[in-house]
Amino acid sequence: MASSSSNVPATVTGRSQLRKPKSKQENRDDSELLTVPDGWKEPAFSKEDNPRGLLEESSFATLFPKYREAYLKECWPLVQKSLNEHHVNATLDLIEGSMTVCTTKKTFDPYIIIRARDLIKLLARSVSFEQAVRILQDDVACDIIKIGSLVRNKERFVKRRQRLIGPKGSTLKVRKVVLDTMKNIHPIYNIKTLMIKRELAKDSELRSQSWERFLPQFKHKNVNKRKEPKKKTVKKEYTPFPPPQPESQIDKELASGEYFLKASQKKRQKMEAIKAKQAEALSKRQEERNKAFIPPKEKTVVKPKEASIETKIDVAAIKEKVKKAKNKKLGAFTAEELKLKMEANEKKKKTKK
């Protein structure tokens, strides 16, 4: 496969030119040779670069979830049309839930099958066709980052993933930004660094220099203290001697003298121990039953204090008030009120005369 080199600047000299004396152009710094001239663009790969085509057929397949089936049915004619322009076949299998792309005899670009593979991967991962079809262009690339296993806590995962969502659901396109966001570093810090780098790249003098003095240094302040365990284990002092060997059952029997007893005597001791445990358990059970028959302790009744002389109620005075209220009719005047009213009426008559 031959590539066109009409517009590409030559940086490697041939054998015939090695014996020539070095010119001024060859004494340039390596930084000048590595820089790409402004306005230069790599020419597109055409059929003239590979007129014989490919030797063998290549194919890729990927699965898609059930909820993407309806969308893929609608946009699949557009997918086939865009891939046919590059002489690549595409098939959609709704029974197996898979998409397949493969090269043909007319395919001349060997890398187009990789771009077609990325196209069906993006379509399977809920990327719209308008955005996914851009991967077929030479100056566009994609990177699928699996963030499901980076954070264990589901709530933290959802919050940090939400920071990556851009306008209209489009996600940010920088891998470092995505990975740092899942490590609880806000994307605004990395975006600010990228903006500074873009401005520095415009300056021809600073292009070949180190940019560390211009870039901000962000420190992670929210450092969570390690939680101390509730039960603290105290380490024992180190001793070069091994721990003592635990006693076996035979050693215990030798120490207590049971080893020398007969089988009948051992059996009798076991039965006595069992009976003692049974008697103890029976007595405890009987005590619990008897608790229901024990009367509760009665509370001591507190005698009420005698009323003081000042707070005693005058019963006779209350009786007199009740009698007066009975004798008094509803709305009737008292004797004093009647006298005052009669005097007022006489005064009015005198004034009229």
Side-chain angles (χ1 to χ4, degrees):
M1 184 179 67
S3 61
S4 61
S5 60
S6 58
N7 297 328
V8 180
T11 58
V12 181
T13 56
R15 290 184 180 179
S16 60
Q17 297 176 354
L18 290 174
R19 297 177 183 177
K20 292 181 181 180
K22 292 184 178 180
S23 60
K24 293 182 180 179
Q25 293 180 353
E26 292 175 1
N27 291 327
R28 290 178 181 176
D29 297 334
D30 293 338
S31 60
E32 294 181 2
L33 294 174
L34 294 173
T35 53
V36 179
D38 295 335
W40 180 82
K41 191 177 181 181
E42 187 178 359
F45 193 87
S46 61
K47 194 172 183 180
E48 297 175 358
D49 299 325
N50 188 18
R52 295 183 181 181
L54 305 177
L55 296 176
E56 294 184 2
E57 181 183 330
S58 302
S59 63
F60 289 99
T62 186
L63 301 173
F64 61 87
K66 188 72 175 176
Y67 65 87
R68 293 288 291 171
E69 184 177 332
Y71 180 78
L72 292 173
K73 273 185 186 178
E74 294 178 2
C75 70
W76 196 248
L78 299 173
V79 175
Q80 288 180 325
K81 184 180 177 181
S82 59
L83 289 175
N84 285 336
E85 294 175 359
H86 301 276
H87 306 289
V88 176
N89 289 336
T91 55
L92 177 67
D93 193 347
L94 297 176
I95 297 171
E96 293 183 358
S98 64
M99 294 179 284
T100 310
V101 289
C102 60
T103 57
T104 61
K105 292 180 179 179
K106 294 182 180 180
T107 308
F108 59 88
D109 189 355
Y111 196 72
I112 194 63
I113 189 64
I114 303 298
R115 296 189 179 278
R117 178 202 65 184
D118 293 341
L119 173 63
I120 59 176
K121 277 187 177 181
L122 293 172
L123 290 172
R125 289 178 174 269
S126 302
V127 179
S128 61
F129 170 75
E130 292 78 7
Q131 295 292 332
V133 78
R134 294 174 58 197
I135 197 63
L136 299 177
Q137 301 174 12
D138 291 338
D139 57 346
V140 179
C142 73
D143 190 4
I144 297 171
I145 307 166
K146 296 181 180 180
I147 60 175
S149 60
L150 296 177
V151 181
R152 292 182 180 179
N153 194 338
K154 190 176 181 181
E155 294 179 0
R156 290 180 185 172
F157 172 76
V158 172
K159 286 180 182 178
R160 294 177 188 177
R161 186 182 61 180
Q162 190 65 26
R163 296 174 186 171
L164 299 171
I165 304 301
K168 297 181 181 179
S170 61
T171 54
L172 304 176
K173 302 174 184 178
V174 183
R175 187 180 186 88
K176 188 176 183 301
V177 175
V178 176
L179 294 175
D180 286 350
T181 303
M182 302 314 294
K183 293 175 183 177
N184 202 17
I185 299 172
H186 204 278
I188 192 64
Y189 301 135
N190 287 318
I191 292 169
K192 189 176 181 180
T193 305
L194 292 172
M195 291 171 68
I196 294 169
K197 286 182 179 180
R198 185 177 62 182
E199 294 298 325
L200 292 171
K202 295 177 182 178
D203 195 345
S204 58
E205 295 180 359
L206 297 172
R207 192 178 295 175
S208 60
Q209 297 179 10
S210 179
W211 294 346
E212 290 183 1
R213 55 196 173 118
F214 301 106
L215 299 177
Q217 300 293 331
F218 299 107
K219 294 181 180 179
H220 190 64
K221 295 181 180 179
N222 297 331
V223 180
N224 294 328
K225 293 182 179 179
R226 186 182 175 185
K227 293 182 179 178
E228 295 181 357
K230 292 182 180 178
K231 295 181 179 179
K232 294 182 179 180
T233 56
V234 181
K235 291 184 178 180
K236 297 179 181 179
E237 294 181 0
Y238 173 74
T239 55
F241 305 104
Q245 190 175 1
E247 292 183 352
S248 62
Q249 188 66 25
I250 297 171
D251 294 336
K252 291 178 181 178
E253 289 179 358
L254 286 170
S256 61
E258 294 180 9
Y259 184 79
F260 304 101
L261 296 176
K262 295 179 182 180
S264 58
Q265 292 175 342
K266 288 182 180 179
K267 190 175 182 180
R268 195 185 307 147
Q269 282 186 354
K270 285 182 181 179
M271 291 299 294
E272 288 176 0
I274 291 167
K275 287 180 181 179
K277 285 183 180 179
Q278 288 178 353
E280 187 179 353
L282 185 65
S283 62
K284 285 182 180 179
R285 205 177 299 125
Q286 193 67 30
E287 287 178 2
E288 290 178 359
R289 288 177 183 175
N290 293 334
K291 283 180 182 178
F293 299 100
I294 297 170
K297 293 181 179 180
E298 296 181 357
K299 294 181 180 179
T300 55
V301 180
V302 180
K303 293 182 179 180
K305 295 181 180 180
E306 295 181 357
S308 60
I309 299 168
E310 295 178 355
T311 57
K312 282 184 178 180
I313 299 168
D314 193 355
V315 180
I318 292 169
K319 285 182 179 179
E320 288 180 2
K321 286 182 180 179
V322 172
K323 285 181 180 178
K324 287 181 180 179
K326 286 181 180 179
N327 294 333
K328 185 179 179 181
K329 294 179 181 179
L330 187 64
F333 297 102
T334 58
E336 295 178 356
E337 288 176 352
L338 285 170
K339 285 181 181 180
L340 292 171
K341 195 169 185 181
M342 291 291 288
E343 290 177 357
N345 291 333
E346 288 178 358
K347 287 180 180 178
K348 284 181 180 178
K349 287 178 181 179
K350 288 178 180 179
T351 53
K352 284 180 181 180
K353 289 179 180 180

